[in-house]
Amino acid sequence: MPTPEPAPRSEPTDAPDTPRTDTADPWERMPEGALNRPELAERGPGTGAPAKEAGKPGEGGGDDAEDSGSGDGSKDGERAGGVFDFLPSPVFVLVLGLTVFAGWLSWRAVELDWAPEGTNVTPLLPPLFILLGWIVSCAVHEYAHALAAHLAGDRSQRGGAYLRLNPFGFRHAFAGTVLPVLYLGFGAFGLNGPPAFVAWDRIPRGRRAMVALAGPLASLVLAAALAVTVSVLVPPGNDTTNWAIAGLAFLAFLNLTSALVNLLPVPGLDGFEVLAAALPERRWVSAARVNALFGSVAVFAVLWFPALRDLWVGAVYTLFRTVMPNPTFEGTVFLGELLLQFWNA
């Protein structure tokens, strides 16, 4: 009887040279403990590619993970963090502290005590107080824009300099901080630079006007708060030569002029964005935003012309006389202007 031939011998299924043809998850075939070994965890399953390029869903790798955010719910460059994203930065706290200190020294008129008896004194602390106070005011103006933009849908500024009131960390520091200081020094009236950081395409059209008006509204609130403070310190029927009170009155004037000028529908000013929100998207709107800096400088140049400046400043003084119960408030503002431009005294 013939002997049956033995069955062909099969290779072991776990032979290392035998290619796997199953469709199981390749991450499950990695050696045990591989994820705890840096030299293996850095590589993807089977191909030798880095894990972030191989992209296992849910593991934070690959283009899909990049498109879906940074793992913390943010998208398109948005930042996400805790409550510190909305707290004032140490730089702002320092500037605010220096402003208060300069105001206290101005209140005490310490420069009169420092100068030898019988000599004329050119006070330098009141101009420093006004300058620092104006930088703080500009930071609050830009913060109002950034907060309104954040609430309207543009979350890209979360944790950034604008929402943390850091005037020296602005993406466009020249337009946001340097330019308003130059306007103050040359023109002695308040005018902010263009809010170039706002990503208008991320904000629904119906909310853009709110974002644009947030800055002038913040400046108007600051002006009202400072004016009321001066009226409390100097009741109606009284007059003062106190340097700090004059500086506060002039800061109220600066914030009021900033709020009013920014309502003009000119590229580079907030009023233009209110107008753009009511118009259909056109190329000229984008072109105007690109050249917003020139529009802001042009408006300042027109208002700086002596005849127009006298009319403009006179109109603001008239407004103060109308709304303020203190008839001496105008004189206090004028004293603050003289303290700022001490070289003209």
PDB file of all heavy atoms in Angstrom, residues 294-314:
ATOM      1  N   PHE A 294      -1.263 105.898   5.502  1.00  0.00           N
ATOM      2  CA  PHE A 294      -1.168 107.174   4.803  1.00  0.00           C
ATOM      3  C   PHE A 294      -2.425 108.015   5.034  1.00  0.00           C
ATOM      4  O   PHE A 294      -2.340 109.246   5.130  1.00  0.00           O
ATOM      5  CB  PHE A 294      -0.955 106.933   3.307  1.00  0.00           C
ATOM      6  CG  PHE A 294       0.300 106.174   2.999  1.00  0.00           C
ATOM      7  CD1 PHE A 294       0.259 104.816   2.721  1.00  0.00           C
ATOM      8  CD2 PHE A 294       1.531 106.808   3.009  1.00  0.00           C
ATOM      9  CE1 PHE A 294       1.413 104.111   2.447  1.00  0.00           C
ATOM     10  CE2 PHE A 294       2.692 106.119   2.737  1.00  0.00           C
ATOM     11  CZ  PHE A 294       2.639 104.762   2.453  1.00  0.00           C
ATOM     12  N   GLY A 295      -3.579 107.360   5.124  1.00  0.00           N
ATOM     13  CA  GLY A 295      -4.804 108.100   5.402  1.00  0.00           C
ATOM     14  C   GLY A 295      -4.781 108.741   6.772  1.00  0.00           C
ATOM     15  O   GLY A 295      -5.199 109.896   6.945  1.00  0.00           O
ATOM     16  N   SER A 296      -4.264 108.010   7.765  1.00  0.00           N
ATOM     17  CA  SER A 296      -4.174 108.557   9.114  1.00  0.00           C
ATOM     18  C   SER A 296      -3.235 109.762   9.153  1.00  0.00           C
ATOM     19  O   SER A 296      -3.550 110.795   9.757  1.00  0.00           O
ATOM     20  CB  SER A 296      -3.688 107.467  10.078  1.00  0.00           C
ATOM     21  OG  SER A 296      -3.516 107.976  11.375  1.00  0.00           O
ATOM     22  N   VAL A 297      -2.081 109.649   8.501  1.00  0.00           N
ATOM     23  CA  VAL A 297      -1.124 110.759   8.468  1.00  0.00           C
ATOM     24  C   VAL A 297      -1.717 111.955   7.732  1.00  0.00           C
ATOM     25  O   VAL A 297      -1.517 113.118   8.136  1.00  0.00           O
ATOM     26  CB  VAL A 297       0.193 110.303   7.812  1.00  0.00           C
ATOM     27  CG1 VAL A 297       1.135 111.485   7.623  1.00  0.00           C
ATOM     28  CG2 VAL A 297       0.861 109.217   8.648  1.00  0.00           C
ATOM     29  N   ALA A 298      -2.471 111.700   6.652  1.00  0.00           N
ATOM     30  CA  ALA A 298      -3.079 112.800   5.892  1.00  0.00           C
ATOM     31  C   ALA A 298      -4.094 113.559   6.740  1.00  0.00           C
ATOM     32  O   ALA A 298      -4.149 114.797   6.706  1.00  0.00           O
ATOM     33  CB  ALA A 298      -3.735 112.251   4.630  1.00  0.00           C
ATOM     34  N   VAL A 299      -4.902 112.835   7.521  1.00  0.00           N
ATOM     35  CA  VAL A 299      -5.878 113.500   8.385  1.00  0.00           C
ATOM     36  C   VAL A 299      -5.161 114.359   9.426  1.00  0.00           C
ATOM     37  O   VAL A 299      -5.560 115.503   9.698  1.00  0.00           O
ATOM     38  CB  VAL A 299      -6.783 112.456   9.060  1.00  0.00           C
ATOM     39  CG1 VAL A 299      -7.636 113.101  10.149  1.00  0.00           C
ATOM     40  CG2 VAL A 299      -7.690 111.792   8.027  1.00  0.00           C
ATOM     41  N   PHE A 300      -4.094 113.824  10.010  1.00  0.00           N
ATOM     42  CA  PHE A 300      -3.346 114.616  10.981  1.00  0.00           C
ATOM     43  C   PHE A 300      -2.765 115.875  10.329  1.00  0.00           C
ATOM     44  O   PHE A 300      -2.793 116.964  10.918  1.00  0.00           O
ATOM     45  CB  PHE A 300      -2.223 113.789  11.586  1.00  0.00           C
ATOM     46  CG  PHE A 300      -1.274 114.595  12.427  1.00  0.00           C
ATOM     47  CD1 PHE A 300      -1.622 114.975  13.712  1.00  0.00           C
ATOM     48  CD2 PHE A 300      -0.044 114.998  11.921  1.00  0.00           C
ATOM     49  CE1 PHE A 300      -0.766 115.743  14.481  1.00  0.00           C
ATOM     50  CE2 PHE A 300       0.820 115.763  12.688  1.00  0.00           C
ATOM     51  CZ  PHE A 300       0.462 116.140  13.967  1.00  0.00           C
ATOM     52  N   ALA A 301      -2.220 115.736   9.120  1.00  0.00           N
ATOM     53  CA  ALA A 301      -1.621 116.883   8.442  1.00  0.00           C
ATOM     54  C   ALA A 301      -2.656 117.980   8.190  1.00  0.00           C
ATOM     55  O   ALA A 301      -2.361 119.178   8.349  1.00  0.00           O
ATOM     56  CB  ALA A 301      -0.984 116.438   7.123  1.00  0.00           C
ATOM     57  N   VAL A 302      -3.871 117.591   7.827  1.00  0.00           N
ATOM     58  CA  VAL A 302      -4.928 118.581   7.588  1.00  0.00           C
ATOM     59  C   VAL A 302      -5.299 119.282   8.896  1.00  0.00           C
ATOM     60  O   VAL A 302      -5.426 120.525   8.952  1.00  0.00           O
ATOM     61  CB  VAL A 302      -6.151 117.912   6.945  1.00  0.00           C
ATOM     62  CG1 VAL A 302      -7.335 118.874   6.903  1.00  0.00           C
ATOM     63  CG2 VAL A 302      -5.815 117.420   5.546  1.00  0.00           C
ATOM     64  N   LEU A 303      -5.470 118.498   9.972  1.00  0.00           N
ATOM     65  CA  LEU A 303      -5.847 119.100  11.253  1.00  0.00           C
ATOM     66  C   LEU A 303      -4.712 119.895  11.876  1.00  0.00           C
ATOM     67  O   LEU A 303      -4.950 120.763  12.728  1.00  0.00           O
ATOM     68  CB  LEU A 303      -6.313 118.004  12.218  1.00  0.00           C
ATOM     69  CG  LEU A 303      -7.597 117.268  11.840  1.00  0.00           C
ATOM     70  CD1 LEU A 303      -7.900 116.173  12.840  1.00  0.00           C
ATOM     71  CD2 LEU A 303      -8.768 118.237  11.739  1.00  0.00           C
ATOM     72  N   TRP A 304      -3.486 119.594  11.474  1.00  0.00           N
ATOM     73  CA  TRP A 304      -2.326 120.295  12.018  1.00  0.00           C
ATOM     74  C   TRP A 304      -2.161 121.678  11.389  1.00  0.00           C
ATOM     75  O   TRP A 304      -1.491 122.546  11.968  1.00  0.00           O
ATOM     76  CB  TRP A 304      -1.072 119.452  11.774  1.00  0.00           C
ATOM     77  CG  TRP A 304       0.178 119.967  12.406  1.00  0.00           C
ATOM     78  CD1 TRP A 304       0.355 120.333  13.709  1.00  0.00           C
ATOM     79  CD2 TRP A 304       1.442 120.165  11.756  1.00  0.00           C
ATOM     80  NE1 TRP A 304       1.650 120.736  13.922  1.00  0.00           N
ATOM     81  CE2 TRP A 304       2.346 120.647  12.740  1.00  0.00           C
ATOM     82  CE3 TRP A 304       1.899 119.976  10.454  1.00  0.00           C
ATOM     83  CZ2 TRP A 304       3.671 120.939  12.452  1.00  0.00           C
ATOM     84  CZ3 TRP A 304       3.228 120.256  10.181  1.00  0.00           C
ATOM     85  CH2 TRP A 304       4.097 120.735  11.161  1.00  0.00           C
ATOM     86  N   PHE A 305      -2.778 121.898  10.245  1.00  0.00           N
ATOM     87  CA  PHE A 305      -2.714 123.206   9.607  1.00  0.00           C
ATOM     88  C   PHE A 305      -3.283 124.240  10.575  1.00  0.00           C
ATOM     89  O   PHE A 305      -4.379 124.055  11.114  1.00  0.00           O
ATOM     90  CB  PHE A 305      -3.516 123.193   8.308  1.00  0.00           C
ATOM     91  CG  PHE A 305      -3.322 124.395   7.454  1.00  0.00           C
ATOM     92  CD1 PHE A 305      -2.147 124.586   6.754  1.00  0.00           C
ATOM     93  CD2 PHE A 305      -4.338 125.349   7.354  1.00  0.00           C
ATOM     94  CE1 PHE A 305      -1.968 125.719   5.962  1.00  0.00           C
ATOM     95  CE2 PHE A 305      -4.166 126.477   6.566  1.00  0.00           C
ATOM     96  CZ  PHE A 305      -2.971 126.661   5.872  1.00  0.00           C
ATOM     97  N   PRO A 306      -2.538 125.330  10.869  1.00  0.00           N
ATOM     98  CA  PRO A 306      -2.905 126.228  11.982  1.00  0.00           C
ATOM     99  C   PRO A 306      -4.348 126.713  11.962  1.00  0.00           C
ATOM    100  O   PRO A 306      -5.030 126.685  13.002  1.00  0.00           O
ATOM    101  CB  PRO A 306      -1.912 127.388  11.809  1.00  0.00           C
ATOM    102  CG  PRO A 306      -0.728 126.786  11.153  1.00  0.00           C
ATOM    103  CD  PRO A 306      -1.279 125.734  10.231  1.00  0.00           C
ATOM    104  N   ALA A 307      -4.830 127.169  10.803  1.00  0.00           N
ATOM    105  CA  ALA A 307      -6.195 127.705  10.762  1.00  0.00           C
ATOM    106  C   ALA A 307      -7.219 126.628  11.097  1.00  0.00           C
ATOM    107  O   ALA A 307      -8.154 126.853  11.888  1.00  0.00           O
ATOM    108  CB  ALA A 307      -6.474 128.310   9.387  1.00  0.00           C
ATOM    109  N   LEU A 308      -7.055 125.432  10.523  1.00  0.00           N
ATOM    110  CA  LEU A 308      -8.000 124.346  10.802  1.00  0.00           C
ATOM    111  C   LEU A 308      -7.850 123.836  12.229  1.00  0.00           C
ATOM    112  O   LEU A 308      -8.848 123.460  12.863  1.00  0.00           O
ATOM    113  CB  LEU A 308      -7.773 123.207   9.801  1.00  0.00           C
ATOM    114  CG  LEU A 308      -8.159 123.518   8.346  1.00  0.00           C
ATOM    115  CD1 LEU A 308      -7.820 122.341   7.452  1.00  0.00           C
ATOM    116  CD2 LEU A 308      -9.647 123.844   8.257  1.00  0.00           C
ATOM    117  N   ARG A 309      -6.621 123.820  12.718  1.00  0.00           N
ATOM    118  CA  ARG A 309      -6.429 123.357  14.096  1.00  0.00           C
ATOM    119  C   ARG A 309      -7.130 124.281  15.082  1.00  0.00           C
ATOM    120  O   ARG A 309      -7.746 123.817  16.056  1.00  0.00           O
ATOM    121  CB  ARG A 309      -4.949 123.270  14.423  1.00  0.00           C
ATOM    122  CG  ARG A 309      -4.690 122.677  15.808  1.00  0.00           C
ATOM    123  CD  ARG A 309      -3.235 122.764  16.222  1.00  0.00           C
ATOM    124  NE  ARG A 309      -3.052 122.162  17.535  1.00  0.00           N
ATOM    125  CZ  ARG A 309      -3.326 122.748  18.687  1.00  0.00           C
ATOM    126  NH1 ARG A 309      -3.825 123.987  18.698  1.00  0.00           N
ATOM    127  NH2 ARG A 309      -3.137 122.123  19.840  1.00  0.00           N
ATOM    128  N   ASP A 310      -7.047 125.587  14.867  1.00  0.00           N
ATOM    129  CA  ASP A 310      -7.715 126.516  15.770  1.00  0.00           C
ATOM    130  C   ASP A 310      -9.226 126.298  15.751  1.00  0.00           C
ATOM    131  O   ASP A 310      -9.882 126.332  16.813  1.00  0.00           O
ATOM    132  CB  ASP A 310      -7.383 127.955  15.367  1.00  0.00           C
ATOM    133  CG  ASP A 310      -5.924 128.306  15.627  1.00  0.00           C
ATOM    134  OD1 ASP A 310      -5.284 127.584  16.413  1.00  0.00           O
ATOM    135  OD2 ASP A 310      -5.439 129.289  15.035  1.00  0.00           O
ATOM    136  N   LEU A 311      -9.804 126.086  14.560  1.00  0.00           N
ATOM    137  CA  LEU A 311     -11.240 125.814  14.478  1.00  0.00           C
ATOM    138  C   LEU A 311     -11.599 124.515  15.171  1.00  0.00           C
ATOM    139  O   LEU A 311     -12.598 124.424  15.892  1.00  0.00           O
ATOM    140  CB  LEU A 311     -11.680 125.781  13.015  1.00  0.00           C
ATOM    141  CG  LEU A 311     -11.666 127.105  12.258  1.00  0.00           C
ATOM    142  CD1 LEU A 311     -11.996 126.881  10.787  1.00  0.00           C
ATOM    143  CD2 LEU A 311     -12.663 128.083  12.891  1.00  0.00           C
ATOM    144  N   TRP A 312     -10.759 123.478  14.951  1.00  0.00           N
ATOM    145  CA  TRP A 312     -11.027 122.156  15.501  1.00  0.00           C
ATOM    146  C   TRP A 312     -10.930 122.162  17.018  1.00  0.00           C
ATOM    147  O   TRP A 312     -11.819 121.705  17.724  1.00  0.00           O
ATOM    148  CB  TRP A 312     -10.054 121.166  14.867  1.00  0.00           C
ATOM    149  CG  TRP A 312      -9.830 119.898  15.609  1.00  0.00           C
ATOM    150  CD1 TRP A 312      -8.645 119.431  16.100  1.00  0.00           C
ATOM    151  CD2 TRP A 312     -10.795 118.899  15.944  1.00  0.00           C
ATOM    152  NE1 TRP A 312      -8.809 118.225  16.726  1.00  0.00           N
ATOM    153  CE2 TRP A 312     -10.132 117.875  16.635  1.00  0.00           C
ATOM    154  CE3 TRP A 312     -12.166 118.788  15.729  1.00  0.00           C
ATOM    155  CZ2 TRP A 312     -10.776 116.754  17.110  1.00  0.00           C
ATOM    156  CZ3 TRP A 312     -12.814 117.654  16.212  1.00  0.00           C
ATOM    157  CH2 TRP A 312     -12.125 116.661  16.878  1.00  0.00           C
ATOM    158  N   VAL A 313      -9.843 122.734  17.539  1.00  0.00           N
ATOM    159  CA  VAL A 313      -9.660 122.773  18.988  1.00  0.00           C
ATOM    160  C   VAL A 313     -10.712 123.682  19.624  1.00  0.00           C
ATOM    161  O   VAL A 313     -11.236 123.377  20.706  1.00  0.00           O
ATOM    162  CB  VAL A 313      -8.231 123.249  19.326  1.00  0.00           C
ATOM    163  CG1 VAL A 313      -8.078 123.469  20.837  1.00  0.00           C
ATOM    164  CG2 VAL A 313      -7.209 122.222  18.852  1.00  0.00           C
ATOM    165  N   GLY A 314     -11.050 124.792  18.961  1.00  0.00           N
ATOM    166  CA  GLY A 314     -12.089 125.665  19.493  1.00  0.00           C
ATOM    167  C   GLY A 314     -13.434 124.968  19.594  1.00  0.00           C
ATOM    168  O   GLY A 314     -14.182 125.180  20.555  1.00  0.00           O
TER     169      GLY A 314
END
